[in-house]
Amino acid sequence: MSVLKRWLSLRGYGFVTSTFFGATTPPLKMRARFERLSCVSRMKMRRKFPNIVFGDYVAGEVPIESVCALESPARVILYLHGGAFFMGSPASYRNRAMRLSYRCDAEVFVPDYRLAPEHRYPAAFDDALAAWKFVKSIRPDAPIFVAGDSAGGGLGLSLLVRLRDLGMAMPNGAFLLSPWTDLTVSGASVDGNRRKDLWFTRGHLEIWAGYYAADAERRSAYVSPVFAEFSGLPPLLLLVGQDELLLDDALRVRDAATSVGTDVRVHIGKGMQHDWPLTLPWLDESRLAWSAMRNFVEERAAAAEDEKILAA
């Protein structure tokens, strides 16, 4: 891709996000805009991809949509969508789930977890746990991964910490895109990348954190997993844009996890913005990120299979 096309793609991304999703725009208005921009009907997707299969489930009171773009997927992914805890849904992530299913050879489950500000912490956190228990129960023998982006990435990391604390079964690995792991907004990159991030400002993060966390203790590992103790977690792959405010939300997790011996790697998108593999999938940098995700799940699934053989 030419330098000009890359530049135009990034600037177009910045124009759309900063115009429609401002720091002080009412959250319900932003949610409606996000759905209008991103929602794709099942019928429309089936016209383009006739073999795609959707499934509908309920984990307690949490609706879950599954998306399968292959006839016999080799693994399962529980995907926690982004949207700063107040936007996003399975419908608005349907196209992304389809792409994830195809590229990672997986059946993808996307829970419709409760959103702030109507449902504050721990609503989404509890719904993520319910979704995990359900997906694990109906696909007990398949390699299973937790994934998510932005707020969903942070939620996925908090879920892993909770599973460990409860002594429950862990996924084979987790890959998290631009995870929002610090709702105290204390990372150095929040100010360091202030002139490079084309969407977020400190105001975005501080105001939006309040919609979800409200009066909760924001240094809690279940709210801001950057403050967690990371021993006993499965292998992690963190993907983050070099120029986004949340860069240190990933790098501090890497450093803390490495210090206790947890297998963690970070893929940094050079010159990239928040969630770039999802929002700008045609960029070369996005193709590299998708390859990293694919390689990670294949590597971890193969390791799980080896462990089964040794245990037999």
Side-chain angles (χ1 to χ4, degrees), residues 64-79:
I64 302 176
E65 177 176 282
S66 69
V67 180
C68 193
L70 308 101
E71 184 175 349
S72 300
R75 54 196 64 101
V76 170
I77 296 172
L78 172 65
Y79 193 88

Side-chain angles (χ1 to χ4, degrees), residues 6-304:
R6 181 179 182 274
W7 185 88
L8 289 172
S9 294
L10 291 168
R11 291 307 180 278
Y13 160 92
F15 174 77
V16 171
T17 54
S18 61
T19 299
F20 291 104
F21 306 101
T24 59
T25 306
L28 298 188
K29 179 178 287 189
M30 283 188 280
R31 186 188 302 169
R33 285 175 175 172
F34 190 86
E35 292 301 309
R36 285 197 300 271
L37 287 170
S38 303
C39 184
V40 182
S41 71
R42 292 182 177 184
M43 184 179 298
K44 183 175 181 179
M45 290 191 71
R46 285 194 183 107
R47 283 199 295 266
K48 189 172 182 180
F49 306 102
N51 295 324
I52 195 167
V53 176
F54 298 99
D56 294 295
Y57 304 90
V58 179
E61 297 183 356
V62 184
I64 302 176
E65 177 176 282
S66 69
V67 180
C68 193
L70 308 101
E71 184 175 349
S72 300
R75 54 196 64 101
V76 170
I77 296 172
L78 172 65
Y79 193 88
L80 301 170
H81 68 74
F85 295 105
F86 66 86
M87 297 184 288
S89 68
S92 55
Y93 266 71
R94 196 168 280 149
N95 191 55
R96 295 172 178 183
M98 180 275 297
R99 191 180 301 124
L100 187 64
S101 172
Y102 179 76
R103 295 187 177 184
C104 291
D105 192 8
E107 182 180 16
V108 180
F109 291 82
V110 185
D112 194 10
Y113 61 81
R114 287 171 290 172
L115 299 176
E118 306 97 305
H119 304 286
R120 301 182 187 273
Y121 172 84
F125 185 52
D126 289 341
D127 290 353
L129 179 61
W132 164 261
K133 290 178 179 178
F134 177 81
V135 173
K136 183 65 176 173
S137 71
I138 64 171
R139 300 289 186 270
D141 299 323
I144 183 168
F145 295 84
V146 167
D149 68 285
S150 194
L155 186 59
L157 191 57
S158 292
L159 173 62
L160 298 183
V161 174
R162 192 176 193 182
L163 293 176
R164 181 204 60 200
D165 292 350
L166 293 172
M168 296 178 62
M170 286 284 190
N172 296 98
F175 58 99
L176 310 169
L177 296 84
S178 296
W180 189 15
T181 67
D182 180 11
L183 273 67
T184 73
V185 195
S186 62
S189 58
V190 173
D191 294 322
N193 275 345
R194 181 168 56 92
R195 299 185 184 279
K196 298 177 182 179
D197 194 306
L198 300 177
W199 178 10
F200 291 141
T201 63
R202 174 176 287 278
H204 279 88
L205 301 180
E206 292 178 345
I207 293 170
W208 291 3
Y211 295 149
Y212 175 64
D215 297 328
E217 172 50 61
R218 298 191 190 184
R219 289 183 65 88
S220 162
Y222 294 163
V223 176
S224 297
V226 73
F227 300 113
E229 198 279 325
F230 293 106
S231 62
L233 299 193
L236 305 172
L237 171 64
L238 311 176
L239 301 100
V240 65
Q242 182 184 37
D243 290 349
E244 64 172 302
L245 262 59
L246 298 185
L247 174 63
D248 276 353
D249 280 41
L251 298 185
R252 286 183 292 159
V253 169
R254 176 201 61 191
D255 294 343
T258 299
S259 71
V260 294
T262 293
D263 180 357
V264 57
R265 64 195 75 169
V266 176
H267 177 97
I268 300 176
K270 185 177 180 180
M272 290 295 102
Q273 297 289 317
H274 186 70
D275 265 3
W276 83 99
L278 302 178
T279 55
L280 303 170
W282 54 86
L283 295 183
D284 291 341
E285 292 82 359
S286 297
R287 295 189 180 97
L288 289 173
W290 280 105
S291 293
M293 287 183 267
R294 170 80 184 212
N295 292 340
F296 176 78
V297 297
E298 287 186 341
E299 173 190 313
R300 296 313 312 162

